[in-house]
Amino acid sequence: MERKSDHATVNRIYDEFDPIFNRKTEQGFETLTIYLPGFRKEQLKVQVTTTRKVRVMGERPAGANKWIRFRKEFPIQANIDVDSIGAKFEGANLVVKLPRLPMGKQTSPMGTTAKPPPVPKETEKVQPTKEKEAGVEKHAEKAQLPKPSREEETKRDEKEKALKEAERENVCDGVKQYYRSNVNAYKENLGGYVALMKNNKKAITLGMVAPAAAVLLLSLGFYAGQMFTS
């Protein structure tokens, strides 16, 4: 008989069934109602998993080797008391009752009791010790640049004045040299111009005397010829 039942189980043909369900929130608890037509109480199983889920499953024959089965899981909220969950089968409906926990005893989704967030403590102000203060003062003294004395300031001012005077003298010397060079060039150009004028005067006088002398000689020769012929 056992062998025949095992053989019949192996040859079963299953049709997956997705039941209709309804979840309703009431005062103090929640109600999960699953509609399972054709099922009987002994054909159903209700479990609470370690991952805080309600698992409902079942199977029933549908004729010959055909069977109808389903498997459904519903998450449990953090404010539900897992130890007080109950289920009952009424007609074609499986009703699962999920009571709520009192305020302040809610659990996390993994089943551990949720702890209230820690209240942050006021941070204590750490007062610096004398050694630290002394080290900070020494570091500040090293960081500060030394201020120059009055003598150093006067020397620095005198050096600046001397440098300015030297710059002025260099500028004056440069101007003087430039002026002298221009004057000398002007003198040279003027002397050359005078010399050129003198040379031109000599050339002009010679050019005028030579023709005059030629005219005089011709007139004298003509006059002498007249005298000899007469």
Side-chain angles (χ1 to χ4, degrees):
M1 294 294 292
E2 292 179 358
R3 290 180 181 177
K4 288 182 181 180
S5 61
D6 294 339
H7 183 70
T9 303
V10 170
N11 293 330
R12 287 179 182 177
I13 299 172
Y14 287 98
D15 289 336
E16 300 297 332
F17 171 62
D18 189 10
I20 300 171
F21 66 92
N22 181 27
R23 195 160 190 165
K24 185 171 64 174
T25 301
E26 298 181 10
Q27 188 175 1
F29 60 92
E30 293 183 4
T31 303
L32 176 64
T33 303
I34 307 170
Y35 182 61
L36 302 170
F39 283 89
R40 297 194 303 269
K41 181 180 179 180
E42 60 271 12
Q43 295 172 342
L44 303 174
K45 288 183 181 180
V46 180
Q47 298 175 343
V48 178
T49 65
T50 57
T51 57
R52 291 185 63 84
K53 291 180 180 179
V54 176
R55 180 184 296 159
V56 182
M57 55 187 176
E59 59 182 23
R60 66 175 180 84
N65 288 332
K66 292 183 179 181
W67 286 71
I68 297 173
R69 66 180 179 183
F70 74 95
R71 180 188 176 95
K72 198 80 173 178
E73 291 184 352
F74 304 90
I76 301 172
Q77 296 182 2
N79 60 346
I80 300 299
D81 186 2
V82 178
D83 297 331
S84 301
I85 294 175
K88 62 179 179 179
F89 191 70
E90 298 177 349
N93 295 322
L94 177 66
V95 181
V96 182
K97 190 174 182 179
L98 307 165
R100 291 196 191 93
L101 286 168
M103 294 298 295
K105 294 185 179 180
Q106 297 181 5
T107 56
S108 64
M110 296 303 295
T112 57
T113 303
K115 296 181 180 179
V119 179
K121 297 181 180 180
E122 294 183 358
T123 56
E124 298 179 356
K125 294 181 180 180
V126 180
Q127 296 181 354
T129 58
K130 293 182 179 180
E131 294 180 357
K132 290 183 179 179
E133 289 179 353
V136 172
E137 289 178 357
K138 289 181 180 179
H139 183 70
E141 289 177 358
K142 290 180 180 179
Q144 291 179 355
L145 295 173
K147 294 182 179 180
S149 61
R150 291 182 179 178
E151 294 180 357
E152 292 177 352
E153 289 181 354
T154 53
K155 289 181 180 179
R156 186 180 61 188
D157 294 338
E158 290 177 356
K159 287 181 180 179
E160 290 179 356
K161 289 180 181 179
L163 289 172
K164 289 180 180 179
E165 291 178 357
E167 289 178 356
R168 289 176 183 174
E169 290 178 358
N170 291 330
V171 171
C172 293
D173 292 339
V175 172
K176 290 177 181 179
Q177 290 178 1
Y178 178 75
Y179 177 74
R180 289 173 182 173
S181 62
N182 288 335
V183 169
N184 292 329
Y186 177 74
K187 288 179 179 181
E188 291 177 359
N189 292 331
L190 184 60
Y193 179 73
V194 171
L196 181 62
M197 290 296 294
K198 290 179 180 180
N199 294 328
N200 288 334
K201 283 181 180 180
K202 291 179 180 179
I204 290 168
T205 52
L206 290 173
M208 293 176 68
V209 169
V215 172
L216 180 60
L217 291 174
L218 289 172
S219 61
L220 290 173
F222 180 74
Y223 181 71
Q226 289 267 335
M227 287 181 68
F228 284 112
T229 54
S230 59

